[in-house]
Amino acid sequence: QEPLVESGGGSVQHGESLTLSCAASGFPFNLRCMGWFRQTPGEGREGVAQIDIGGVTTITESVQGRFTISRDNANNTLYLQMNSLKPEDTAMYYCAARASGYGRCGEQLGATYFTVWGQGTQVTVSS
């Protein structure tokens, strides 16, 4: 069983909303900093949002006010609520977990800090 499985991606119109989910298993989800990243072909993984075990979040500037990250520790699930979607939000979205011992996320939202990754879910926004 994969440790992280994303769902909820799809094709939407400019201005619509989607909610991504990430089901975690096989590790203590409630003790890990979790994050969402996205990637387009030919580009590196961009940090979108992260949330620590206390619920403190970091949101990248380009999606502030539109995206919200949250977690349900009782159900080992991470969410990304995406509102007012734009064509430039089109990407493969990945859920990720930091390594054991990292309940706090730190200030930087970088892919190199995360060690467990899901397979991704595609989000396509048309104009």
Side-chain angles (χ1 to χ4, degrees):
Q1 187 175 1
E2 295 292 329
L4 295 172
V5 179
E6 302 95 335
S7 61
S11 296
V12 297
Q13 299 288 318
H14 187 178
E16 293 185 340
S17 299
L18 279 174
T19 300
L20 305 184
S21 300
C22 173
S25 63
F27 67 93
F29 173 82
N30 62 315
L31 298 181
R32 302 282 186 96
C33 164
M34 299 294 298
W36 285 100
F37 294 80
R38 63 187 181 186
Q39 187 172 23
T40 54
E43 300 292 329
R45 288 188 182 180
E46 175 194 19
V48 176
Q50 62 184 8
I51 183 168
D52 73 12
I53 60 173
V56 176
T57 63
T58 304
I59 311 291
T60 196
E61 186 175 350
S62 63
V63 305
Q64 284 181 2
R66 300 188 297 121
F67 289 14
T68 303
I69 187 172
S70 61
R71 63 192 301 162
D72 180 352
N73 289 335
N75 291 296
N76 293 340
T77 305
L78 181 72
Y79 298 100
L80 185 68
Q81 173 68 43
M82 305 185 295
N83 298 326
S84 302
L85 282 160
K86 304 175 180 180
E88 51 264 43
D89 296 318
T90 294
M92 184 71 78
Y93 282 71
Y94 297 91
C95 168
R98 287 201 65 171
S100 176
Y102 288 92
R104 299 298 178 189
C105 296
E107 293 184 0
Q108 294 191 356
L109 182 50
T112 56
Y113 296 106
F114 289 77
T115 58
V116 183
W117 292 86
Q119 295 298 308
T121 185
Q122 178 68 37
V123 172
T124 302
V125 185
S126 55
S127 57

